[in-house]
Amino acid sequence: MVSERTSAGEGVIPVPTGSDAGWVWRALVVGLLVVIVLALGGIIWAIGDGNPATSPDLLVTVFSSALTGLIGLFVKSPTQ
């Protein structure tokens, strides 16, 4: 039985070291920045191609979602 002070998965997966957590965090930030740049480039291309049938709505959704995720990585956790 799990006590109140331990979690069900405690001891199964070791707590990551500072360098491991830092590497994962940097990879997430770089990945989200790449997605933001690609989505922004796609938005600019979709608007600038002159075709009225081209809708940049999907790219705006990707851009705003990636930007929100990136900002969320810098916000302090509400549990801390």
Side-chain angles (χ1 to χ4, degrees):
M1 184 160 157
V2 177
S3 70
E4 291 180 27
R5 294 188 174 253
T6 61
S7 65
E10 188 173 315
V12 176
I13 300 173
V15 177
T17 62
S19 64
D20 289 340
W23 183 86
V24 170
W25 189 83
R26 280 191 292 277
L28 283 172
V29 169
V30 169
L32 285 172
L33 285 173
V34 168
V35 169
I36 287 172
V37 168
L38 289 174
L40 188 59
I43 291 168
I44 292 169
W45 176 79
I47 291 171
D49 71 349
N51 186 355
T54 304
S55 175
D57 293 343
L58 180 62
L59 293 171
V60 171
T61 303
V62 171
F63 176 77
S64 62
S65 299
L67 183 61
T68 303
L70 184 63
I71 291 170
L73 291 174
F74 293 99
V75 175
K76 186 176 178 181
S77 171
T79 60
Q80 293 179 351

